[in-house]
Amino acid sequence: MTEARGERAGRPPSTSARAVELIALELFGEQGFEDTTVEQIAERAGVSSRTFFRYFDSKASVLWHQFDQEVATLRSAFDAVDDELPLMEAIRVVVVGVNRYRAQDVAELRARMHLIGSVPALAASAASRYEPWEEAVSEYAGRRRGESADALVPLAIGRTTLAACRAAFDRWVAVGDADLTVYLDAALRALATGFVDEPH
Amino acid sequence: MTEARGERAGRPPSTSARAVELIALELFGEQGFEDTTVEQIAERAGVSSRTFFRYFDSKASVLWHQFDQEVATLRSAFDAVDDELPLMEAIRVVVVGVNRYRAQDVAELRARMHLIGSVPALAASAASRYEPWEEAVSEYAGRRRGESADALVPLAIGRTTLAACRAAFDRWVAVGDADLTVYLDAALRALATGFVDEPH
DNA sequence: TTGCTTCTGTCATGGTGTGACAGTATCGTC
DNA sequence: GACGATACTGTCACACCATGACAGAAGCAA
């Protein structure tokens, strides 16, 4: 009978996932990912390490907290895109559009992507984190092509789209002379042409 | 001065990486990857768990022992391929050719790929293991296009080629009604066309 | 036998991640 | 204000992975 709850109940959380995330990013930047223990993060956040693992599944999960939420954005963008566009063009428009980060977030994004790219343990965790993102693309491709998202080509489209975007991210982190969207657009255009040898 | 060694020296190994690998695969099949401890593998192999970690970097590394050696095969195949072929066609020919596994190895390959696809910890380890494979493709693409392998497009070609192959592998493991090379060929042909919507 | 080399086991240790359980802080209700 | 329900927290114990240090074992060559 006590179903409908007004606002909240029980003891309020000591902190928030976002706050812990920022502390973790700070420590990772100071002394590296491997040399930072969960206990250090928890201590600076004012909680026990046991509580850290209630906020995040693993030490690596901290880096993906923001990203996980962006998959929903991606899905809704696919729902809104014009289906008159050729398939790969629609995907490019959606992906580039979703990645127009606000200027204030660029520094944090860059730090995060740099860590993911340079720390083996984080690169390893990437695969499972990117999976929902890939699936969103595969499902759109399947819908457009009238097949299951599990079919070979939709699956390949999801995977290769992510692969092209990761290449763009890596180049952007390494060079960074232009906006991220420029790199993404170039990589996805190349993918859509099948990487033809440009006649010069 | 004791440089040139005849055959061998020192205490001979108790076992071999290959023998430990087969034991591990057996145990993983029986009771799953997570529920198999390194100590169990080592015990059945007649060594201590410390010695296991001298044979393999980690528990997951066992699954990649064979794969690591195939990258050399891939590289030499790229050296031998006809450069007159269009770039993506050459890549397809090389990759499909390298994957013509002998019939006797198919069962083991399938078991391995199934584990890699279904166990999160193994999927996570995949990224770092595939990296040299991707690089081999990127280097060939860079050579053919007259750019660095680190440039955006060669990097994207390496990553997307692997992504397409992984899609083929997954479908082959799930369905498996035809030869692996059929799936690889189809995925790489689709990639080379930029996933155009087939007119029917 | 001696010395060198290579592989091995034992021991100790640090770190991740989880289950069990009790404690604490807030709610709504009487 | 006392009460129970709820949600979060800390402490404790534990299994497992992975690594460094060190000594012992087993082969070769002189």
Side-chain angles (χ1 to χ4, degrees):
Chain A
M1 300 301 178
T2 57
E3 276 295 305
R5 184 159 307 287
E7 281 298 331
R8 47 188 138 140
R11 176 176 177 173
S14 298
T15 178
S16 67
R18 175 66 179 158
V20 175
E21 180 190 359
L22 289 174
I23 289 168
L25 281 176
E26 193 179 32
L27 282 169
F28 294 161
E30 288 174 12
Q31 48 191 3
F33 179 83
E34 306 280 4
D35 293 332
T36 302
T37 67
V38 170
E39 196 164 354
Q40 289 176 329
I41 302 170
E43 188 182 14
R44 193 175 286 194
V47 294
S48 70
S49 24
R50 186 67 183 87
T51 294
F52 173 92
F53 286 110
R54 292 199 179 96
Y55 279 80
F56 299 100
D57 288 340
S58 68
K59 193 170 108 176
S61 296
V62 176
L63 269 293
W64 299 96
H65 179 233
Q66 299 277 16
F67 179 81
D68 289 350
Q69 301 173 338
E70 285 167 20
V71 176
T73 309
L74 183 69
R75 285 190 174 276
S76 60
F78 273 126
D79 288 338
V81 74
D82 179 13
D83 281 356
E84 300 284 316
L85 289 171
L87 174 55
M88 294 308 288
E89 200 169 324
I91 291 176
R92 176 171 55 80
V93 168
V94 164
V95 170
V96 171
V98 165
N99 278 280
R100 295 191 200 283
Y101 288 94
R102 293 169 302 177
Q104 67 194 61
D105 296 339
V106 167
E108 186 184 327
L109 177 69
R110 189 183 282 271
R112 209 194 322 268
M113 297 306 292
H114 177 256
L115 276 172
I116 290 170
S118 59
V119 178
L122 291 173
S125 72
S128 64
R129 293 303 177 148
Y130 284 139
E131 213 163 284
W133 196 96
E134 287 176 345
E135 274 179 24
V137 179
S138 290
E139 280 174 25
Y140 178 71
R143 196 191 327 154
R144 282 288 302 271
R145 293 173 52 94
E147 349 175 47
S148 162
D150 293 333
L152 178 60
V153 172
L155 185 62
I157 290 177
R159 297 263 177 94
T160 56
T161 299
L162 173 71
C165 290
R166 288 203 306 118
F169 265 99
D170 285 3
R171 292 311 301 157
W172 174 69
V173 169
V175 184
D177 54 350
D179 195 77
L180 168 62
T181 55
V182 174
Y183 288 90
L184 285 172
D185 194 76
L188 291 175
R189 278 185 195 277
L191 174 65
T193 62
F195 302 109
V196 287
D197 312 34
E198 291 268 325
H200 46 287
Chain B
M1 299 301 180
T2 57
E3 276 295 304
R5 183 160 308 286
E7 280 299 331
R8 46 188 140 139
R11 175 176 177 173
S14 298
T15 178
S16 68
R18 176 64 179 160
V20 175
E21 181 191 358
L22 289 174
I23 289 168
L25 282 176
E26 193 179 31
L27 281 169
F28 293 162
E30 289 174 11
Q31 48 191 2
F33 178 83
E34 306 281 3
D35 293 333
T36 301
T37 68
V38 170
E39 197 164 353
Q40 290 176 328
I41 301 170
E43 188 182 12
R44 193 175 286 195
V47 295
S48 70
S49 28
R50 186 64 182 88
T51 294
F52 173 92
F53 286 110
R54 292 198 179 96
Y55 280 81
F56 298 100
D57 288 341
S58 68
K59 193 169 104 175
S61 296
V62 177
L63 270 292
W64 299 96
H65 179 233
Q66 300 276 15
F67 179 82
D68 289 350
Q69 302 172 339
E70 285 166 20
V71 176
T73 309
L74 183 70
R75 286 190 174 275
S76 59
F78 273 127
D79 288 338
V81 74
D82 179 14
D83 281 356
E84 299 285 316
L85 289 171
L87 174 54
M88 294 308 288
E89 199 169 324
I91 291 177
R92 176 170 54 80
V93 167
V94 164
V95 170
V96 171
V98 165
N99 279 280
R100 295 191 199 284
Y101 288 94
R102 292 170 303 177
Q104 67 194 61
D105 295 339
V106 167
E108 187 182 327
L109 176 69
R110 189 183 282 272
R112 209 193 322 268
M113 296 308 292
H114 177 255
L115 276 172
I116 291 170
S118 59
V119 178
L122 291 174
S125 72
S128 64
R129 293 302 177 150
Y130 284 139
E131 213 163 284
W133 196 96
E134 288 176 344
E135 274 179 25
V137 179
S138 290
E139 281 175 23
Y140 178 72
R143 197 191 327 152
R144 282 289 302 271
R145 294 173 52 94
E147 348 175 46
S148 162
D150 293 333
L152 178 61
V153 172
L155 185 62
I157 289 177
R159 297 263 177 95
T160 56
T161 298
L162 174 70
C165 289
R166 288 204 304 116
F169 265 98
D170 285 3
R171 291 311 299 157
W172 175 67
V173 169
V175 184
D177 53 349
D179 195 77
L180 168 61
T181 55
V182 174
Y183 287 90
L184 284 172
D185 194 76
L188 291 175
R189 278 185 195 277
L191 174 65
T193 62
F195 302 109
V196 285
D197 311 33
E198 291 269 324
H200 46 289

